[in-house]
Amino acid sequence: MLAETICSAAAVAGLGIAGITAYRKRYLAAARIAAYSLVPLGLVMIGAVDWIAGTAFSPVAWVGFGVLGGAWLLFSSTRAVERRRGGRKETTGGAEPRAVAPAASSPSRAAAPKPQAGRSTGQPAGEDFSDIEAILKKHGI
């Protein structure tokens, strides 16, 4: 009952300040103040203030918050352990490791492209940075 009275008084005071602000021809600020002052009144009317007061003084609600905190702690600690392991999976008992493709360990160099005769800079074909270098030199970079 006390919370509803305080919220209603705050709303009335805010609307009074909004009226004074509107009288001074600052309509945008007055509308903003009126909007802020109507929020506590709306919360009282929908029953959110009763719900918050009931939750704040309920031991069951606080135990529920504790359970949620414990669940969050458990979840975050398992994520930290998972990141520390690097995402590798545990092998149980004498299970064999996963198979690796035979060609995956050695790279193939037979298909390397040959450099063009006209280029002596060692850049691959299609990558000409001379215009970018000119722009950077122009700006002193």
Side-chain angles (χ1 to χ4, degrees):
M1 181 79 173
L2 180 65
E4 289 89 357
T5 306
I6 292 171
C7 288
S8 299
V12 169
L15 289 174
I17 293 171
I20 292 170
T21 306
Y23 180 74
R24 294 180 181 168
K25 307 267 192 246
R26 297 183 60 208
Y27 299 112
L28 186 61
R32 190 173 298 125
I33 292 169
Y36 281 126
S37 67
L38 289 174
V39 169
L41 186 63
L43 290 174
V44 166
M45 294 175 92
I46 64 170
V49 174
D50 287 333
W51 179 79
I52 291 171
T55 303
F57 298 116
S58 170
V60 174
W62 285 106
V63 171
F65 283 126
V67 168
L68 287 175
W72 177 82
L73 247 158
L74 186 62
F75 178 72
S76 62
S77 64
T78 57
R79 290 287 293 167
V81 169
E82 186 178 67
R83 282 189 201 136
R84 180 168 277 186
R85 286 187 183 167
R88 61 180 186 251
K89 295 182 179 179
E90 286 186 25
T91 57
T92 57
E96 296 182 17
R98 291 182 280 176
V100 178
S105 61
S106 62
S108 174
R109 296 192 178 252
K114 296 182 181 179
Q116 291 181 348
R119 282 204 203 269
S120 62
T121 61
Q123 294 178 346
E127 291 188 24
D128 186 20
F129 294 113
S130 61
D131 54 344
I132 297 173
E133 290 174 4
I135 292 171
L136 291 174
K137 286 180 184 177
K138 177 182 170 185
H139 290 287
I141 299 175

